[in-house]
Every structure is written in C-alpha cells, then in structure tokens.
Amino acid sequence: MTTATLDTPLAGAYVHPVRDHADADEFLDWLRCPRRVLAVDTETTGLNYFDEVRLVQVGDASDAWVLDPSRHDWLIEQALRGSRRLVAHNAPFDLCHLARVIGSSAAEHLELVEDLGRKTFDTALLSHLLDPRDRSQGGIGHALKDLARHYVDSAAPDGQEVLKDRFRELGLTMSTGWAEIDRWDPDYVRYAGLDAIITTRLFDAILPKVLARGHEDLVEFEHQVQRATTAMTVRGMAVDRHYADQLALELDEERRGAEAEAATYGVDNVNSTAQVAEALTARGITLTEVTPSGQAKVDRAVLEALDDPLAEAVLEAKTASKALTSWVTPILDAANRDGRCHPRIRTLAARTGRMSISGPPLQQLPARDHRVRSCLIAEPGEVLISVDFSQVELRVLAALSCDPRLMGAFDAGLDIHSATAATIFGPEFTAAHRQVAKAVAFGIVYGGGAATLARQAGVDRLVAEEAILKFNRAYPKVRSWSKGLTSSLAWGSEPFLKTPTGRRIPVDTGTEYRSVNYIIQSTARDVFAGALLQLRAAGLDHYVRLPVHDEVIASVPAPWAEEIGAEIALVMSGTLGGVPIVADFEVCGARWGDKYAPK
C-alpha cells in the first residue's frame, strides 16, 4: 500500500485511503477475508436524494477503507455484491446512494436497493428496539455517536465536531463544507472511515442485547418494513413542476398582500407575537391565553377564534409563507432532477414507532389547502387512490380492552360514534351529540380529559364530564383496562409498556396517563406496517407511493382504479383480537389534492 494509513483517536482503529492501484490490491486482499458483517457508509454533499456521493467507506471493527466512487466504483461493487451481510446506520440513506454509485438506471437502482436491503442490518433500527426515546425525551437517542458513546466507548470521538472546526479553519461553513472540503483532506477521510468502524462495533454491542429481549421477530419485521418504504423512496412520486411553480408565485403574492394588510394595522412583522398581540389589544380584543413565558398567546387557534380583519391577515400571511417555505419550495427542489419527489421515510420515528417523512415532509401537508397536495400527481395514464384504515385506533382500543359492547359495535359494522352517542344520549341523539361522543372516544385514545373534550367539542365542562362518565358506564372494560394499565406502571422502578408485538415503550414517571395512547398508537402502527408487508406479498406494493399515518397513496392505471383500490383495501383489512380491521379506498384523481378540493 503506497498511501499512508491514518491513525485515529479510537483504540485499535485504522483508516486506509484507497488512491492508487497498490491501495486497491490491498483492499481486495482484505475484502477476501471472511467476516461476520461488513459496514458501509457514505459521505455526500448533502442530505437530498440526488446529492453527490464523495466518498464510500467499507470497514469492520478495526479497519476502514475509504474509496472515491468516481474512480473506484468497481471496487465498491466488489464489496457490495454477493452474499456478504452488511451493516449500516440509517441504512436507507446510504443504500439509495450506493445503488446510484454502482447502478446505471432507475430500474437497476430499485433492484439494487432491494438486493442490498435484504442483506443489511440497520443499527438505527436495532437501537430503537432497545430504547425508542430521543435524547430530548431522556433516551440515548439514535445518532451514531450518541449510541457509540453509550454502548461502545464513552470516549468515542464525534467527527462532526472535529470537522466543524476543520471547516472553520478552511473558511467553510457547515452548509458548504461537505461539498467543498478536499476529498482527501486527512480529517475528512479519518472521520469518514471511523463511522464504518464505529458502526461495526455498535452492531456487535447491541445485536446481542436486542436478541436477549426476544426481539428476533421484530428485527426481521422492522427490516422488512424498511425495505418496503425504501422502495417507495426510490420509486418516488411525480410532481407537476409547472403547477408548483405557479403555486409558488401565487402563495408569495398572497403572503405579500396579507402582510401589507397587516401593516395597515401596525403589524410590520406578522411573526412577532408581541406586535400582533399589541395591535389586537389596541383594537379592543382581550387576549386571555398566555405562553409559558407569560406573553399573550396569538397562535393559530387563538387567531381563528377571532372575527377580526387583522387576525385574518396575520393568519393568511403565515399560512401562505408556511405553505411556500415548508412544502412547495422543497417539493420543487426535490423534483429538480427527475420530476419526482424521493422522500426519506423513517419507519421507526416516534417513541411508539410511528413513521415520519422528510425531504420533503409529505406526511404533514395541509388538509385545508388542497393546492399544495395538487403539486403531487399520478403517473401518466394513472390516477391516485387513497386507501386508509377506518377508525383503526378505536378498533385497537376495542381489541386491547376486550370490551364486549365496543367489540360488538365494530363487529356489527355500526358507526361507532353514532352507537356511542345513542348509548350516552339516547336514540334521539343529535349531530352535536355525535360530535361529543366522538371527542370522548378520541379523548380516551389520546389521553385528553374533560377540559380538552369541552374545548374540542365546544361544550360546557360539566357536559363533558357527564359524557365521559356515561362513556365509562357504557364501556366498563375500557375503563378497567386503562386504569389497570396505568396502575401497573406506577409501581415499576423503570416503567415500560409491552405491546402485543413485544415492543417495549418506556413511560416516564408522572406521565403514566400517556400509556393508553402509547400502546394504542404503537399497536395501530404495527397493524399498518404489517399491511405494507401484506401488499408486498400480494404483489401490489409497486403501486404504492407513500405511507401517510394510517393511509397509503397509490398510483394505479385509471381504467382499473376501482378494482385495484378494492383489492388493496381487501389485502390491508383483517382482524385484531377478534375485532375487524377495515380499510376503505377512495379514487382521488390525477392529483393528490383532488381528494381535498371543494366539491
């Protein structure tokens, strides 16, 4: 080897840059030695799907080899092909980039991601099975360095911090440094290689802990779910860029017009809580709610409740700005290369395991403004369909509590909120009564009390308290099950829930009331994730573009939309603990926003 090996701050860890033929021969000799797993990692210019891959790292617990994909793609292919088991941290990100390094077409990229995914362990998934909490929630978190310090070596270096200093030395910023630092800068190469070594050591440390908890099935399940969603990322979702460009101009015009209107009332900055509150007060409006810092609260809920032109102008300006900067511009940026969004889907995101979507955040698009969703369109000759579960969390509540009356209502195919309203208010219940009954049911699921119910249903607190009391009498096993769940947690030194799939969810002391929501939300998530795998098994997954909460968005040939929608809904449907889990479909149209547009 002619290129010098780099020492590292981690004991017994060495990084080998591969820059010439002699280096390549050494790497191939090393690669021929049998290993339990081979760690893979990438350094890219950014976090977007099409950002350039600058370096690829391949390593084990002691050695990492750093390669330039523009020169040594054939060596990278040697490492990735075949039957070797791989390990990566946040595998979907790296596998999507690696597939583009060694693949030549979109179809081949998808095939490669599937093949690599089948033999890759993701240490981020494994860490979530041990402790699903982020650092902000009192957990270890899921960043590689945090996990390494906890499970591997408390002195494990944080290469990001070192590189921040290096970027400053070179006159670069954190946003430009990853793209502009010299590819063979010793610090850049050293800490790139260390990530592969640390990933291997982390895998060796945490896999036995995960298996010791009896999570073998969950490990396989979660990796299968991840493969399903990574395939969705690669397929992407088509974007109408002309429409999105026009919408961006329209939203910017709306923002500027609303800001000008607000300025006539003395508000120069609609994002200034103090300015907005002061101007509203001057108009004779009494603001009764305050923020934790003691300032008058003027959030969306407060402004929407006011019949005032200033409140309307502030809301319109902020809504247009949010739509433009959070969604439409990111959608346009994402679609710049191939006319498609390729969002990152994190299959284990929340403490309960619920998924999240970023780059762009398509799971959070506003339902009130169909125009944003209308940027996303079906494939040529196809339409988008939405298939979602009907009241899945309440069905999970019925299954977990085994309340015969609640289970019977679902089994009979009744509208559960109407059935509950009839039970609470009598057979002559009104639409307002049904709304109260619905709020009570979801209050049980989400842990809301009488005050929350009163606010959401628009009723007096005494009415809310009476409705909760009657709900508990109507469904006594729901009440006894939820009380038993929270009581059992209060006595544990490290309280945690165990879901029907065996997932462990820590519950912080003093927040035992959240346990009902945690176990329902987690179980519903696993039902949904299982449905994604059922779609793959049925050969229907190639239609699916996005998983959104309890819903899938699919692009299907227009002539067979009804038939395919019904088939997808049938495959997703099933039972849980004797309670029917029902999925319904709706044909949206050529645009996702067609589902939300005023009829």
Side-chain angles (χ1 to χ4, degrees), residues 71-374:
R71 293 186 57 213
H72 290 127
D73 54 334
W74 61 279
L75 285 175
I76 296 166
E77 186 165 8
Q78 286 272 343
L80 298 179
R81 296 283 193 181
S83 59
R84 293 185 189 88
R85 294 305 302 260
L86 306 175
V87 61
H89 193 75
N90 293 321
F93 179 85
D94 293 304
L95 297 189
C96 286
H97 284 293
L98 289 168
R100 288 206 323 280
V101 168
I102 65 175
S104 58
S105 67
E108 190 179 5
H109 295 163
L110 179 57
E111 183 181 325
L112 280 166
V113 165
E114 291 274 14
D115 177 59
L116 295 173
R118 276 189 289 270
K119 57 189 181 186
T120 301
F121 289 103
D122 188 338
T123 44
L125 287 189
L126 297 178
S127 75
H128 200 283
L129 295 179
L130 287 177
D131 185 347
R133 296 171 298 174
D134 290 329
R135 287 186 67 185
S136 61
Q137 300 169 330
I140 301 161
H142 307 292
L144 179 61
K145 302 308 184 298
D146 292 333
L147 292 165
R149 287 196 181 115
H150 183 84
Y151 290 112
V152 179
D153 186 340
S154 60
D158 188 339
Q160 293 245 7
E161 291 302 317
V162 174
L163 287 173
K164 281 182 185 179
D165 294 337
R166 182 63 178 145
F167 291 163
R168 280 193 288 267
E169 285 177 22
L170 298 171
L172 304 173
T173 67
M174 285 303 291
S175 60
T176 62
W178 304 107
E180 295 182 15
I181 191 171
D182 184 90
R183 194 185 306 262
W184 295 109
D185 180 277
D187 281 337
Y188 184 52
V189 173
R190 178 180 289 110
Y191 288 98
L194 263 178
D195 279 355
I197 294 171
I198 289 173
T199 298
T200 309
R201 294 187 184 188
L202 177 62
F203 173 76
D204 291 339
I206 66 174
L207 181 62
K209 296 179 186 296
V210 173
L211 298 181
R213 286 191 177 174
H215 286 340
E216 294 95 335
D217 290 344
L218 273 176
V219 169
E220 178 59 26
F221 177 75
E222 290 302 341
H223 282 89
Q224 286 187 30
V225 174
Q226 187 182 78
R227 292 199 292 274
T229 58
T230 305
M232 295 179 204
T233 294
V234 177
R235 290 188 197 100
M237 194 166 186
V239 174
D240 184 337
R241 285 182 287 184
H242 176 71
Y243 171 89
D245 276 326
Q246 294 302 116
L247 178 57
L249 295 174
E250 187 178 320
L251 288 168
D252 191 52
E253 185 176 342
E254 287 177 12
R255 176 190 61 79
R256 287 187 282 108
E259 286 179 346
E261 174 73 9
T264 65
Y265 296 99
V267 176
D268 297 322
N269 179 6
V270 295
N271 295 309
S272 169
T273 299
Q275 276 192 31
V276 174
E278 183 180 354
L280 288 171
T281 302
R283 292 177 58 75
I285 294 171
T286 302
L287 300 170
T288 57
E289 296 186 63
V290 296
T291 66
S293 63
Q295 287 187 304
K297 186 182 286 188
V298 286
D299 59 11
R300 173 175 286 277
V302 170
L303 294 174
E304 285 180 338
L306 300 177
D307 183 12
D308 183 85
L310 171 57
E312 292 173 4
V314 171
L315 265 178
E316 183 178 357
K318 295 178 80 167
T319 299
S321 178
K322 173 76 172 176
L324 180 61
T325 59
S326 295
W327 297 305
V328 177
T329 299
I331 286 172
L332 278 167
D333 289 344
N336 186 52
R337 181 73 68 89
D338 66 348
R340 314 177 75 78
C341 279
H342 298 271
R344 296 188 302 278
I345 303 168
R346 188 178 168 197
T347 54
L348 285 174
R351 182 189 304 230
T352 56
R354 282 184 73 94
M355 302 180 187
S356 69
I357 300 176
S358 59
L362 300 183
Q363 205 173 22
Q364 302 170 3
L365 301 186
R368 301 182 184 198
D369 191 344
H370 70 281
R371 295 176 301 170
V372 175
R373 290 177 195 256
S374 291

Side-chain angles (χ1 to χ4, degrees), residues 479-498:
R479 176 66 172 166
S480 61
W481 168 76
S482 59
K483 284 189 69 175
L485 187 67
T486 55
S487 297
S488 66
L489 291 167
W491 298 102
S493 57
E494 292 185 14
F496 67 88
L497 293 169
K498 192 169 184 179

Side-chain angles (χ1 to χ4, degrees), residues 336-501:
N336 186 52
R337 181 73 68 89
D338 66 348
R340 314 177 75 78
C341 279
H342 298 271
R344 296 188 302 278
I345 303 168
R346 188 178 168 197
T347 54
L348 285 174
R351 182 189 304 230
T352 56
R354 282 184 73 94
M355 302 180 187
S356 69
I357 300 176
S358 59
L362 300 183
Q363 205 173 22
Q364 302 170 3
L365 301 186
R368 301 182 184 198
D369 191 344
H370 70 281
R371 295 176 301 170
V372 175
R373 290 177 195 256
S374 291
C375 295
L376 300 161
I377 58 176
E379 305 298 327
E382 298 189 350
V383 293
L384 295 176
I385 63 171
S386 160
V387 189
D388 67 342
F389 286 125
S390 169
Q391 302 171 328
V392 65
E393 290 178 328
L394 293 177
R395 292 173 188 270
V396 169
L397 173 63
L400 295 179
S401 67
C402 297
D403 185 276
R405 194 169 193 172
L406 193 57
M407 294 175 74
F410 282 120
D411 196 48
L414 301 178
D415 174 78
I416 193 64
H417 302 310
S418 295
T420 301
T423 300
I424 295 176
F425 301 107
E428 303 303 319
F429 69 89
T430 65
H433 288 149
R434 184 185 181 279
Q435 184 62 29
V436 173
K438 181 178 180 179
V440 173
F442 283 110
I444 299 296
V445 171
Y446 297 113
T452 302
L453 168 59
R455 184 173 65 252
Q456 291 179 344
V459 297
D460 184 83
R461 179 164 181 151
L462 289 176
V463 174
E465 289 174 349
E466 184 179 3
I468 292 172
L469 184 64
K470 288 183 176 180
F471 182 95
N472 290 335
R473 287 175 180 165
Y475 304 113
K477 290 206 71 176
V478 170
R479 176 66 172 166
S480 61
W481 168 76
S482 59
K483 284 189 69 175
L485 187 67
T486 55
S487 297
S488 66
L489 291 167
W491 298 102
S493 57
E494 292 185 14
F496 67 88
L497 293 169
K498 192 169 184 179
T499 72
T501 58

